[in-house]
Amino acid sequence: MDVRPNDILIMKKQHPCGSSEMLVLRSGMDFRLQCRGCGREFLIPRKKIERNIKNIRRETEG
């Protein structure tokens, strides 16, 4: 799955704050995500994230 920094992930399950959008800060074996609702940052393994992604929203360049 092609996930890059600055992509916005729409997740199947919501964060406890109620937001289902996560901003990708870093990708690799683990993802560093930031919740778009409350701003909390956390690390999650790639395998777990890839199962829970509903959609990827990417800002177009230029």
Side-chain angles (χ1 to χ4, degrees):
M1 188 170 282
D2 184 31
V3 178
R4 301 178 198 154
N6 296 323
D7 285 353
I8 296 173
L9 305 178
I10 313 317
M11 307 303 286
K12 291 179 184 175
K13 295 183 180 180
Q14 293 181 344
H15 189 250
C17 73
S19 176
S20 60
E21 294 185 356
M22 305 291 165
L23 175 67
V24 178
L25 300 175
R26 188 188 74 158
S27 62
M29 283 297 290
D30 294 324
F31 282 100
R32 178 173 292 281
L33 301 177
Q34 181 180 30
C35 177
R36 299 278 294 195
C38 63
R40 187 172 180 101
E41 293 183 13
F42 43 91
L43 277 171
I44 297 186
R46 174 179 280 274
K47 194 171 190 177
K48 187 171 182 182
I49 285 297
E50 286 182 345
R51 285 185 294 196
N52 293 319
I53 293 174
K54 183 190 253 185
N55 195 3
I56 299 173
R57 193 168 64 212
R58 183 168 290 144
E59 301 297 325
T60 57
E61 297 177 13

